[in-house]
Amino acid sequence: MTSAFQQCIDPQCGATYAIDDVRVACQRCGNLLDVAYAWDKLPVPRSLTDFEPKWARRNDPHCFSGVWRFHDLLPFAPLPQCVTIGEGQTLLLGSEGVARYIGLTPGRLHLQYEGMNPSGSFKDNGMSAAFSHARLVGANRAACASTGNTSASLALYCSATRLMRAVIFIGSGKIAYGKLSQALDYGALTLQITGDFDDAMARVQEVCRQEGIYLVNSLNPFRLEGQKTIMFRVLEGLGWQVPDWIVVPGGNLGNSSAFGKAFHELYELGLIDRMPRLAVINAAGANTLYQLVEKRGLRWNGGRPQMEIARRWYDEMDAHNRRASTIASAIEINRPVNLTKCLRALEWCNGVVREVTDQEMLDAKAQVGANGLGCEPASAASVAGAKRLLDEGVIGPDDRVVCILTGHQLKDPTATVAYHSGDQAKFNEVLGSRGIHTAPFANHAIPVPNDLDQIINAIKTHH
Ligand SMILES: *Cc1c(COP(=O)(O)O)cnc(C)c1O
Ligand SMILES: [Zn+2]
């Protein structure tokens, strides 16, 4: 497989590494790595419709997989060796109700529901690719730092494939119960580090380096290859039409980076004729990307980003001991490891960055739930962000918009129940400290005595 290799993302460096080299940064300059392909030596599909015959071959696990049926567009390992547990059976659904909420013309909004993956978040797309690479290099232990979903995904792939054993690093008190319960249930060794995600992320890299453990955080460029396929499925769901906007929550910025790479490659291969625009949405309590791009003018700048701007921001955060804080735990990250790749994606896709408050996210989440799909708080950042961009006139009411719902509704029941509870004390306890003061879309349970007349009366009163 010499037609696939790894390459430093810094165009001035451009160092290349073999595909079976295990590293998460360029040895020469320290920048992130891409998985790159010599497309002229590979069988590239002539048209995206070439993928459609695979639908008829669903008894073949690699055709069934929503990742590996697109193997031709991420051919870093021979297909028979690629690891699948049935990831990527996800939905692209139109939603008139959510469209109305954010101000879009009915029919113009689609929600890409990645909560349908085996572990309940989009992370499985990347994990199947990382496991395929891990198998290629013969790794037998894997680790990640996680706000919850990467660890749930890693733990599941370990228990389902028995290819590796998992070590999981989580911050203390910063993980939603649905996600923690998955890691424990799937049998992963779970280390709860004193500190937050950013602390755990720094430590896991040290440990992996020292102990030779395979790192599956999104620093791992193979993760992002798998996550490109989310965009291939979006195009598939739209009959191969390119939408005007892709709106995605931003945490460690792996997804946004992967989306940019997916569209860039499709465009370069002549498989699409225009690029969509990308909107990356931060939580206001973890808004590094927003601050750097929209407030301080940091740009990819053709491969020469002024990283001095980022260093000053990080120094400022450290000086004030500022920590990420948001109800959307999946994006509660102040030091996004894929920052530079995301800057590149923003340049490729003429992108924008916005921040949304926890209140906006939970209201948007309730709207997603009330209109046929559910999601976890971080996922609703995409819907809340789209609403902001419509209010600002950046997104037009007739634009075709795809919001990515990154994780399943049941990942974080604590936030959902607190929002909907009519119990002010409970609401305040869980959400008040987050600056959430109202629940305009609350649907609280109504207490009724165990008495037939009173039950019927309650139904009549409330319907
Ligand atoms: C991981 C995650 C994110 C953040 O994605 P990045 O690629 O780290 O930016 C958002 N939402 C959910 C549900 C996640 O699990
Ligand atoms: Zn380099």
Side-chain angles (χ1 to χ4, degrees):
M1 295 292 292
T2 52
S3 40
F5 53 96
Q6 300 181 73
Q7 184 162 38
C8 177
I9 67 164
D10 180 346
Q12 279 83 47
C13 171
T16 61
Y17 303 91
I19 212 72
D20 58 358
D21 213 336
V22 179
R23 56 179 71 250
V24 292
C26 177
Q27 193 166 27
R28 199 190 294 169
C29 73
N31 268 299
L32 296 167
L33 298 175
D34 272 331
V35 181
Y37 306 96
W39 294 110
D40 53 341
K41 295 189 198 140
L42 288 160
V44 178
R46 279 159 296 117
S47 154
L48 288 171
T49 56
D50 287 2
F51 290 107
E52 292 176 8
K54 298 193 196 246
W55 296 339
R57 296 172 45 207
R58 292 171 68 85
N59 56 343
D60 173 345
H62 290 116
C63 287
F64 180 74
S65 167
V67 170
W68 298 117
R69 76 168 168 271
F70 297 103
H71 178 261
D72 287 350
L73 297 172
L74 54 153
F76 62 82
L79 184 57
Q81 284 182 32
C82 291
V83 175
T84 178
I85 63 167
E87 59 288 323
Q89 306 304 313
T90 59
L91 272 179
L92 183 79
L93 274 187
S95 178
E96 310 243 320
V98 181
R100 208 171 307 118
Y101 173 66
I102 70 182
L104 270 177
T105 305
R108 303 308 283 173
L109 177 70
H110 287 81
L111 302 175
Q112 173 70 13
Y113 188 39
E114 289 294 316
M116 290 179 74
N117 275 291
S119 81
S121 84
F122 76 82
K123 299 296 198 299
D124 295 346
N125 293 281
M127 205 56 69
S128 68
F131 266 62
S132 303
H133 182 248
R135 177 190 262 180
L136 201 70
V137 302
N140 56 25
R141 284 189 301 173
C144 70
S146 182
T147 62
N149 280 334
T150 306
S151 56
S153 183
L154 170 59
L156 173 59
Y157 273 76
C158 284
S159 69
T161 67
R162 303 274 161 205
L163 281 170
M164 294 195 280
R165 283 176 301 133
V167 188
I168 284 160
F169 290 61
I170 56 178
S172 36
K174 294 276 190 179
I175 184 168
Y177 253 47
K179 307 176 188 185
L180 179 60
S181 65
Q182 288 180 288
L184 300 176
D185 216 21
Y186 296 135
L189 171 60
T190 304
L191 304 178
Q192 201 151 15
I193 312 289
T194 322
D196 62 12
F197 173 82
D198 293 308
D199 298 319
M201 186 70 232
R203 282 293 179 210
V204 74
Q205 290 186 70
E206 285 178 343
V207 171
C208 284
R209 222 177 293 123
Q210 193 163 320
E211 294 295 307
I213 300 176
Y214 189 86
L215 181 69
V216 298
N217 278 102
S218 55
L219 275 173
N220 179 324
F222 296 90
R223 273 271 311 272
L224 304 201
E225 290 305 289
Q227 286 166 214
K228 289 192 311 193
T229 66
I230 301 168
M231 293 300 102
F232 304 155
R233 296 197 300 275
V234 163
L235 294 178
E236 189 177 58
L238 295 173
W240 311 112
Q241 300 283 306
V242 178
D244 297 304
W245 287 93
I246 300 287
V247 190
V248 63
N252 243 340
L253 307 178
N255 237 3
S256 44
S257 300
F259 295 177
K261 187 172 191 278
F263 286 113
H264 181 72
E265 288 173 349
L266 290 180
Y267 189 81
E268 296 282 300
L269 290 170
L271 292 169
I272 54 173
D273 56 11
R274 68 186 187 95
M275 297 286 280
R277 294 189 70 186
L278 182 65
V280 185
I281 313 300
N282 272 167
N287 64 354
T288 289
L289 185 71
Y290 175 71
Q291 286 288 339
L292 294 179
V293 171
E294 300 291 344
K295 298 291 181 194
R296 289 165 173 77
L298 180 60
R299 293 289 182 277
W300 172 245
N301 195 23
R304 292 176 174 271
Q306 314 90 312
M307 292 310 285
E308 199 41 47
I309 298 175
R311 273 190 291 275
R312 272 203 303 276
W313 167 250
Y314 290 138
D315 286 346
E316 198 184 310
M317 279 198 309
D318 287 344
H320 296 90
N321 197 22
R322 204 181 300 146
R323 292 281 162 174
S325 176
T326 166
I327 188 88
S329 54
I331 53 174
E332 192 173 40
I333 295 172
N334 262 351
R335 291 175 183 270
V337 295
N338 287 299
L339 173 63
T340 45
K341 275 189 182 173
C342 180
L343 295 174
R344 186 179 65 172
L346 290 167
E347 182 164 300
W348 278 337
C349 296
N350 187 17
V352 299
V353 184
R354 291 295 181 273
E355 60 171 0
V356 292
T357 63
D358 286 4
Q359 178 82 56
E360 288 172 273
M361 273 188 274
L362 286 195
D363 291 343
K365 178 175 125 44
Q367 284 293 311
V368 171
N371 286 284
L373 289 173
C375 66
E376 62 169 282
S379 311
S382 61
V383 172
K387 182 170 167 49
R388 276 228 180 174
L389 288 163
L390 265 128
D391 291 346
E392 290 175 18
V394 177
I395 294 181
D398 293 321
D399 287 355
R400 181 180 272 186
V401 178
V402 177
C403 290
I404 313 301
L405 300 182
T406 45
H408 198 282
Q409 183 180 42
L410 298 178
K411 289 282 191 175
D412 189 355
T414 314
T416 307
V417 173
Y419 183 90
H420 288 295
S421 78
D423 179 345
Q424 196 63 41
K426 173 155 196 169
F427 183 91
N428 285 341
E429 180 197 322
V430 180
L431 301 177
S433 62
R434 295 287 186 182
I436 298 163
H437 303 298
T438 64
F441 309 115
N443 174 34
H444 60 86
I446 295 149
V448 191
N450 186 9
D451 173 279
L452 185 60
D453 289 341
Q454 294 199 54
I455 291 169
I456 290 172
N457 194 35
I459 294 171
K460 287 188 171 146
T461 316
H462 292 280
H463 260 261

